[in-house]
Amino acid sequence: MSSVLNIHRSILGQPWRWRGLATDARDPGFAPDDLVTQLLMTRGVARDDLERHRNPSIRAFMPDPSIFRDMDRAAERLADAVEAREQVAIFGDYDVDGATSAALLILLLRDLGLEARPYIPDRLMEGYGPSGEALVRLKAEGAGLIVTVDCGAQAFEALEMARAAHAEVIVVDHHKCTAELPVALALVNPNRLDEAEGAAHGHLAAVGVAFLLGAALIRTLRARGYFAARAEPRLLDLLDIVALGTVADVAALKGLNRAFVAQGLKVMGQRRNIGLNALIEASRLTRAPTCTDLGFALGPRINAGGRVGRSDLGVRLLTTRDPDEARAIAEELNQLNEERRAIEADVQREAEEIGLRQGNRAVAVIAARGWHAGVIGIVAGRLKEKLGRPSIVIALDENGIGKGSGRSIAGVDLGAAVMAAKDAGLLHAGGGHAMACGVTIAEDRLDAFADFLEERLSERVTQAMGERALMLDAVVTAAGVNPDLVTAMEAGGPYGMGWPAPRVAAGPVSIIKADVVGSGGHVRVIVSGDGGGSLKAVAFRQAETELGQALLSAPRHRKLWLAGRARIDDWGARPAAELHIEDAAWAE
């Protein structure tokens, strides 16, 4: 693979390579459509399929829900409940995917004339997934049907207890499954090992699977004549919730997921959901939300309820009919998010210190007492970025039982390794998917667990790290980083996991001014290009790193190439473009 600008070792010690064919936007014959076509093709789109991906629609990517195992059985049972006005309980996980999955089904059932009961377990008191006690209690309190969302694929004991209590349970999940499945009335999960055609949609978040169940339910009720005397719900109106859950769960934005997010952002811009509208206002967003806002502004606030507050706040917000209640919950989530940030910062600092003392294990397994279990997933993600290798962060309680969350790097299936460790008897519980996992482990098994991961993943991690390179989509001048370029690149979106946002190299440039701004140690630079014009660029949280120090100390006469993401800076009177720096290299 050819290097960009002959840069084989940047300031951060990595080569710069083309993601696909070279695009030099400095060429006078360059046209924005050329870039959009390249962005799509280098993300896996065939030339004869370009038009479908330029504006991904639900119609173009939606599969027949019946291809998934147990989908028709689940839809028929839910339709029975709707017609009989049974009490239905929706048991959701406490993260954004769980909250949005539960909210989607609650809102849809409400439109169908059935008021379902939400149940979100407390992260600290009940842990992840359905407990047998909770399912039995819901049955005793009158729930004729229980639907678990974003959990249940590994809930063998809980679902066995539910069956013994004659509770009917439908599982809607997306986490990895074993060959043996827990007992349930229906288990809808594209990641079942016995899936056939449906396995192609294993990248869906749970909220995407719930959306497909909703489509199957409406179709079933339509066939029964249920809508002869009442309006049929518009399932597409709930795509704002689907988009939020999909992005926040870091699901791969390819195929149907891209359509969910592209169309969901349009629905979100219409501010139809009272709770989402309140959350947008609490987040101080004055424009239509973007994909980035879902992941970094709205999602973390929904998550904050489950992490450091009351787990049901997210579902309550997304399903409320009362604007005053929505504003109150949104403000509470906003405050909880601030508390989460403070807690996270403390755990992050301690985890990094432990990680640096551990050396170069293939997977960083870091545990300590006193850490808040609600922030370990976020810390694991940041630690993975800092160390460049998979990381699992574990909070140990006073009894020596640890709850852990892990994040992986591209090319390393951490979820499969964790499930193998569970099968080997090293974990009380564990599961996940390729890029993320959750574990429950005894303190005296930590070393054995780390050794197991070392033996299983060392070679793959080394290979993945050796393949590390900064992938670029285009080379531009400093003046070429402008709103027109950003607009052209956005036409290839939405971007996220599995559909990476475009990255450009700009230069060569001279640094006119460089300083540190903000409490996070951000490095802000003003640069000028050879052909004139200036550009503002920011390297976030880099003041103490090799990259940040190079930017701060670069002499004006020595030129650099800057690489990163071009973004719109809309703080001024007129929108301008800026570059978010991810790496730099000295120009020869």
Side-chain angles (χ1 to χ4, degrees):
M1 188 179 296
S2 62
S3 295
V4 179
L5 303 166
N6 291 317
I7 295 171
H8 303 288
R9 185 175 178 80
S10 68
I11 288 173
L12 290 181
Q14 59 188 335
W16 290 5
R17 293 180 179 150
W18 291 115
R19 198 183 305 278
L21 299 175
T23 293
D24 194 333
R26 298 170 296 172
D27 185 340
F30 170 79
D33 282 349
D34 298 337
L35 177 58
V36 175
T37 296
Q38 176 181 312
L39 292 175
L40 295 174
M41 292 183 66
T42 55
R43 284 153 182 78
V45 179
R47 185 174 291 278
D48 60 3
D49 201 20
L50 285 170
E51 291 310 310
R52 187 168 71 121
H53 285 79
R54 287 186 190 276
N55 183 23
S57 67
I58 303 300
R59 180 184 295 273
F61 287 93
M62 182 83 167
D64 181 347
S66 295
I67 68 172
F68 297 91
R69 291 190 178 276
D70 283 2
M71 180 69 82
D72 290 339
R73 183 184 304 170
E76 292 285 350
R77 181 63 186 86
L78 265 174
D80 292 343
V82 169
E83 290 185 320
R85 296 295 186 268
E86 287 185 68
Q87 185 182 134
V88 175
I90 309 296
F91 190 114
D93 188 21
Y94 36 66
D95 68 0
V96 185
D97 194 17
T100 52
S101 300
L104 183 143
L105 291 181
I106 289 168
L107 291 172
L108 176 58
L109 290 172
R110 181 184 293 169
D111 285 344
L112 292 169
L114 183 66
E115 199 67 41
R117 171 186 175 181
Y119 186 95
I120 309 295
D122 182 274
R123 176 188 293 264
L124 299 180
M125 300 300 294
E126 297 179 78
Y128 169 77
S131 68
E133 292 80 7
L135 296 177
V136 171
R137 185 168 65 252
L138 287 171
K139 169 65 175 176
E141 292 173 356
L145 178 65
I146 303 168
V147 184
T148 73
V149 288
D150 196 30
C151 57
Q154 294 289 311
F156 290 93
E157 293 182 9
L159 290 173
E160 191 61 53
M161 287 180 62
R163 182 173 70 168
H166 305 291
E168 292 187 277
V169 181
I170 294 172
V171 174
V172 179
D173 204 352
H174 71 128
H175 293 98
K176 285 184 177 291
C177 296
T178 56
E180 180 185 0
L181 297 173
V183 294
L185 178 69
L187 197 156
V188 184
N189 185 337
N191 287 306
R192 286 174 55 152
L193 296 183
D194 59 350
E195 270 295 350
E197 192 177 349
H201 299 277
H203 59 288
L204 293 178
V207 70
V209 183
F211 181 89
L212 294 174
L213 175 58
L217 172 59
I218 291 174
R219 184 173 63 183
T220 300
L221 288 170
R222 186 188 304 131
R224 295 185 184 187
Y226 187 76
F227 302 115
R230 65 182 300 136
E232 186 171 311
R234 279 185 49 83
L235 188 60
L236 296 182
D237 287 348
L238 300 177
L239 283 174
D240 50 359
I241 292 176
V242 181
L244 176 58
T246 297
V247 173
D249 208 51
V250 202
L253 294 192
K254 60 182 182 180
L256 182 57
N257 278 347
R258 271 191 79 229
F260 280 152
V261 176
Q263 301 306 319
L265 286 170
K266 295 177 183 178
V267 175
M268 194 176 296
Q270 298 168 8
R271 305 289 187 96
R272 293 180 178 178
N273 185 288
I274 292 171
L276 265 181
N277 186 44
L279 192 65
I280 291 169
E281 292 179 352
S283 303
R284 309 295 186 261
L285 293 176
T286 58
R287 46 164 171 72
T290 65
C291 195
T292 300
D293 296 325
L294 303 189
F296 293 97
L298 305 182
R301 286 170 168 81
I302 294 285
N303 249 337
R307 293 186 186 281
V308 296
R310 298 199 307 279
S311 298
D312 66 343
L313 286 178
V315 172
R316 286 177 51 202
L317 177 74
L318 296 174
T319 58
T320 184
R321 300 181 179 95
D322 183 349
D324 291 334
E325 181 185 31
R327 283 190 291 270
I329 295 175
E331 286 301 329
E332 184 174 359
L333 287 172
N334 208 34
Q335 180 59 42
L336 289 171
N337 193 48
E338 292 301 318
E339 294 177 19
R340 186 270 305 169
R341 286 177 174 172
I343 296 169
E344 174 196 324
D346 291 339
V347 176
Q348 179 75 29
R349 184 182 62 257
E350 295 176 20
E352 287 182 5
E353 292 173 356
I354 296 173
L356 291 174
R357 292 198 300 267
Q358 280 190 348
N360 293 318
R361 275 189 176 271
V363 179
V365 179
I366 297 171
R369 293 177 182 268
W371 285 349
H372 196 296
V375 302
I376 54 176
I378 301 173
V379 172
R382 293 196 184 280
L383 198 63
K384 178 259 296 187
E385 293 296 330
K386 189 176 186 68
L387 300 177
R389 52 198 168 97
S391 299
I392 299 176
V393 177
I394 299 169
L396 296 166
D397 65 18
E398 63 277 7
N399 298 315
I401 299 298
K403 299 287 187 179
S405 186
R407 299 294 182 268
S408 193
I409 60 177
V412 180
D413 191 337
L414 190 58
V418 162
M419 290 182 67
K422 178 187 173 187
D423 291 342
L426 297 174
L427 304 174
H428 290 323
H433 47 80
M435 299 301 290
C437 71
V439 301
T440 303
I441 184 171
E443 186 173 10
D444 61 6
R445 305 297 281 169
L446 285 172
D447 288 341
F449 178 50
D451 290 342
F452 178 91
L453 295 178
E454 180 75 20
E455 181 178 352
R456 183 182 178 92
L457 296 178
S458 179
E459 183 176 341
R460 188 69 199 98
V461 170
T462 299
Q463 181 181 348
M465 293 176 70
E467 295 168 351
R468 185 174 71 104
L470 194 75
M471 308 305 290
L472 290 161
D473 294 279
V475 174
V476 299
T477 63
V481 181
N482 56 46
D484 289 340
L485 177 71
V486 177
T487 299
M489 291 191 302
E490 285 301 313
Y495 299 103
M497 176 61 66
W499 196 268
R503 186 182 288 117
V504 302
V509 299
S510 300
I511 294 183
I512 301 171
K513 178 183 178 182
D515 57 0
V516 179
V517 297
S519 59
H522 313 310
V523 177
R524 177 181 60 188
V525 298
I526 305 296
V527 303
S528 64
D530 283 351
S534 63
L535 170 67
K536 183 174 78 171
V538 183
F540 293 102
R541 295 184 295 276
Q542 296 293 323
E544 301 300 324
T545 69
E546 188 173 0
L547 173 60
Q549 289 299 304
L551 295 172
L552 290 167
S553 62
R556 183 170 295 195
H557 68 272
R558 194 171 185 192
K559 295 181 178 180
L560 302 99
W561 289 96
L562 303 179
R565 320 279 190 180
R567 295 284 189 263
I568 293 294
D569 175 12
D570 50 13
W571 283 100
R574 291 191 306 171
E578 64 181 17
L579 188 69
H580 293 178
I581 304 171
E582 297 176 79
D583 199 358
W586 300 110
E588 296 297 329

